[in-house]
């Protein structure tokens, strides 16, 4: 396995770090496959109590690698990106994110499925689906209106609004604000250790109860979004918008 995502297991805490800094941790098809495999293994590994996702102290993820996305567009529900979504939604262990710098596209919608999201003041969340000629994904069209109300959700999903760390906390998309990336990552590890100190089966049952009430509706929404996303990618406007952002 390559090192596009690094894996560190320390006393039950699994830290997964996006490791493509030259591309601002943009996710390509290989990373989607690896990320899914790592999370699937974590869910089945009795030595893993909690999972921490980070891009390091400077950048979480710029979202999809646009060139790779055009060259290898998802074509059905078994595409690596959609497989990853199902694995994330099925994980019953605590999932924590430490976010600094860019969290764009799926780098932002992924956070909606984490149990705790800690951000630094440098965090910048954006969901630029409409400007790219595509539609919302990963359940964001269902989860964001419920979390924020229609108007704020529309600002993000239709208006391409940028949320910095402090505003993300104020809007309820993150639970803690820290001054810089190092502090954010340290605090996320401390939180994970606290969760590890609790009875693990009770913790997992609690997570399942929190999630299961809306699980069927969420899964159906993700399926519907995914199909529409595939259709959008095939349109001339999406292809033109994506190509326009690719730098040689």
């Amino acid at each position: 396995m390559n090192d596009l995502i690094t894996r560190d297991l320390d006393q039950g805490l699994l830290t997964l770090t996006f490791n493509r800094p030259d591309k601002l941790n943009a996710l390509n098809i290989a990373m989607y496959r690896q990320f899914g495999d790592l999370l699937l293994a974590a869910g089945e590994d009795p030595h893993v109590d909690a999972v921490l996702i980070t891009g390091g102290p400077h950048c979480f993820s710029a979202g999809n690698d646009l060139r790779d996305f055009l060259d290898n567009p998802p074509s059905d529900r078994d595409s690596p990106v959609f497989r990853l979504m199902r694995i994330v939604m099925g994980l019953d262990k605590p999932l924590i994110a430490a976010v600094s710098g860019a969290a764009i596209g799926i780098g932002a919608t992924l956070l909606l499925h984490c149990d705790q999201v800690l951000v630094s003041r440098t965090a910048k969340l954006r969901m630029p689906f409409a400007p790219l000629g595509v539609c919302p994904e990963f359940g964001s069209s269902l989860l964001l209106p419920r979390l924020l109300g229609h108007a704020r959700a529309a600002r993000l999903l239709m208006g391409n609004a940028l949320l910095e760390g402090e505003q993300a906390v104020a809007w309820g998309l993150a639970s803690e604000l820290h001054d810089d990336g190092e502090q954010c990552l340290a605090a996320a590890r401390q939180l994970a250790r606290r969760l590890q100190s609790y009875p693990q089966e009770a913790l997992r049952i609690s997570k399942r109860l929190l999630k299961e009430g809306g699980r069927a509706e969420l899964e159906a929404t993700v399926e519907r979004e995914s199909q529409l996303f595939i259709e959008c990618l095939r349109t001339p406007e999406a292809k033109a918008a994506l190509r326009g952002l690719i730098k040689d």
Side-chain angles (χ1 to χ4, degrees), residues 131-144:
L132 294 178
V134 294
C135 67
E137 36 86 325
F138 214 165
S140 56
S141 65
L142 174 70
L143 297 175
L144 281 173

Side-chain angles (χ1 to χ4, degrees), residues 4-5 17-21 23-28 31-32 35 53-65 84 97-111 123-128:
L4 292 172
I5 301 175
T17 304
F18 301 136
N19 186 35
R20 205 178 175 216
K23 298 294 185 180
L24 298 179
N25 293 328
L27 301 171
N28 59 21
M31 291 177 75
Y32 282 123
F35 195 11
I53 304 170
T54 179
H58 304 298
C59 179
F60 187 68
S61 173
N64 282 305
D65 180 311
L84 170 66
V99 181
S100 295
I104 309 298
I106 196 168
T109 56
L110 170 63
L111 305 179
K124 292 177 173 57
L125 281 62
R126 176 168 271 160
M127 305 174 195

Side-chain angles (χ1 to χ4, degrees), residues 42-54:
E44 298 171 350
D45 188 343
H47 298 104
V48 174
D49 300 322
V51 180
L52 170 60
I53 304 170
T54 179

Side-chain angles (χ1 to χ4, degrees), residues 188-199:
R189 290 191 179 108
Q190 185 177 26
L191 172 59
R193 293 300 187 197
R194 186 164 76 248
L195 292 176
Q196 282 185 276
S197 72
Y198 302 155

